[in-house]
Amino acid sequence: MDQITELITRSIFIGAGATIVLDIWSLTLRLFGVGMTNWGLVGRWIGHMPQGRFVHDSIGNAPPIAGEHAIGWMAHYAIGILYAAALLAITGLEWAHAPTIWPALIFGWVTIVAPFFIMQPGMGLGVAASKAPKPNVARFRAVLSHTVFGLGMYATALLAAELL
């Protein structure tokens, strides 16, 4: 397969796989009473963007958007795939053929920039969840989730190296 097709195929496989790992992690935490990300609210935030509304005082108080749960879940997986594509663009397909843990883990940590400085402020939680009821808990959970995502990219890259 040509390089572009391989990049796209591996990005989808690794990004969706890592997102599934993250979702399994979140479901496991839920068994212990730890709340999961409400992708419907993320979909609501995204759903307001075409009208020019990028920042909310509280996304929970914003008017609901038709299909917000589907929008949020699709965005969740699309972002995972885009992150995998970015990792592969940085490391090259050579990394995908023989994955090592550090590039994926470090990239997972770098991606914490997006929720801290884009999503959380846009949804009314402030920079790095500074306006959340328990900012340090929210920050810790975000860092932990992005660590799990990075580990998920490594694990699914290993699987892809065997299967693709």
Side-chain angles (χ1 to χ4, degrees):
M1 98 177 62
D2 67 85
Q3 285 190 325
I4 297 296
T5 303
E6 183 178 2
L7 176 69
I8 292 168
T9 301
R10 289 184 186 275
S11 296
I12 292 169
F13 190 94
I14 294 168
T19 305
I20 289 168
V21 168
L22 177 59
D23 289 340
I24 291 168
W25 168 257
S26 294
L27 286 169
T28 303
L29 289 178
R30 188 176 185 184
L31 294 174
F32 296 98
V34 178
M36 295 174 53
T37 300
N38 183 337
W39 295 108
L41 291 179
V42 174
R44 183 177 299 177
W45 176 58
I46 293 167
H48 281 277
M49 290 179 182
Q51 291 82 35
R53 185 85 194 265
F54 297 93
V55 179
H56 299 264
D57 292 329
S58 171
I59 195 64
N61 293 334
I65 298 292
E68 61 188 30
H69 284 93
I71 293 167
W73 278 99
M74 286 188 291
H76 175 51
Y77 275 83
I79 290 166
I81 291 166
L82 289 173
Y83 281 163
L87 173 62
L88 293 175
I90 292 166
T91 62
L93 287 172
E94 297 79 20
W95 176 83
H97 296 158
T100 55
I101 194 167
W102 287 110
L105 194 54
I106 290 168
F107 193 80
W109 291 328
V110 168
T111 62
I112 198 70
V113 169
F116 277 3
F117 296 100
I118 299 170
M119 189 180 83
Q120 290 170 348
M123 293 176 68
L125 292 171
V127 172
S130 61
K131 295 179 182 177
K134 296 180 181 177
N136 287 332
V137 171
R139 292 173 189 136
F140 177 75
R141 287 183 59 197
V143 170
L144 190 57
S145 292
H146 283 253
T147 300
V148 169
F149 180 77
L151 293 171
M153 284 199 298
Y154 171 62
T156 54
L158 284 174
L159 184 60
E162 293 296 321
L163 297 177
L164 301 179

